[in-house]
Amino acid sequence: METIENKTHADRYCNGRRPRAHWIVMGIIGFIGLVFLFGAIIMWLWNGLMPPIFHLGVITYWQAIGLAILARLLFGHMHHGSRHGDRRYKYHLWWHRNRMHQGGNDASMRWSYYEQYWNEEGERAFNEYVRRKTETHGA
């Protein structure tokens, strides 16, 4: 059995794992590396495509970074499945639910009775439907 005196400083305070600060520093370094890589890719694509196709001039690395920032400002935040989309979806659901309960059109009024119907008759009606289908296929 190991005693506290036999363990190293890192073992005693981090349970054999690297400290959290290490992961934060690695994340920052990784983010900066991705920014530089992203700028280099934009510069490479621009300088490889735009001058031969549209006879435009070549750009520097910092111009490529500026172009990326400008594109983001002009065309949006390039979010995928973000909370912004969730807010719109939740509002859509809220709007339809409130519309049903406030007496919207005939279809929404009929839909508001669905849960009550399913609780009262739905399962019985479904089982009857399945029985009829299996009898016709089996016979």
Side-chain angles (χ1 to χ4, degrees):
M1 179 177 225
E2 281 189 84
T3 61
I4 293 178
E5 292 80 25
N6 293 341
K7 292 185 176 184
T8 64
H9 176 74
D11 289 336
R12 269 192 303 236
Y13 294 104
C14 302
N15 294 327
R17 291 179 283 149
R18 291 187 173 130
R20 227 179 251 194
H22 176 265
W23 292 111
I24 292 172
V25 170
M26 292 302 291
I28 291 170
I29 291 171
F31 177 75
I32 291 171
L34 287 176
V35 167
F36 277 105
L37 180 66
F38 186 64
I41 291 172
I42 291 173
M43 183 181 74
W44 176 72
L45 285 171
W46 179 281
N47 291 338
L49 296 173
M50 295 305 207
I53 296 172
F54 298 111
H55 305 292
L56 297 172
V58 296
I59 61 173
T60 66
Y61 173 79
W62 295 109
Q63 288 172 327
I65 294 291
L67 187 63
I69 293 170
L70 179 64
R72 185 173 174 128
L73 289 172
L74 291 175
F75 301 119
H77 297 287
M78 297 180 253
H79 43 73
H80 302 284
S82 70
R83 284 182 270 164
H84 181 68
D86 293 340
R87 272 197 313 257
R88 282 186 296 200
Y89 178 70
K90 288 176 185 175
Y91 175 77
H92 174 78
L93 289 178
W94 173 84
W95 186 81
H96 278 289
R97 285 180 188 140
N98 283 342
R99 185 169 171 232
M100 284 193 318
H101 294 299
Q102 292 172 358
N105 61 21
D106 185 46
S108 65
M109 287 300 293
R110 291 178 56 212
W111 181 254
S112 66
Y113 295 117
Y114 176 77
E115 187 173 354
Q116 182 182 356
Y117 164 78
W118 182 255
N119 290 336
E120 293 174 5
E121 300 178 25
E123 191 168 359
R124 183 175 41 81
F126 176 73
N127 290 334
E128 177 64 26
Y129 174 78
V130 170
R131 187 187 59 75
R132 283 195 322 263
K133 285 295 188 183
T134 55
E135 286 176 358
T136 59
H137 288 293

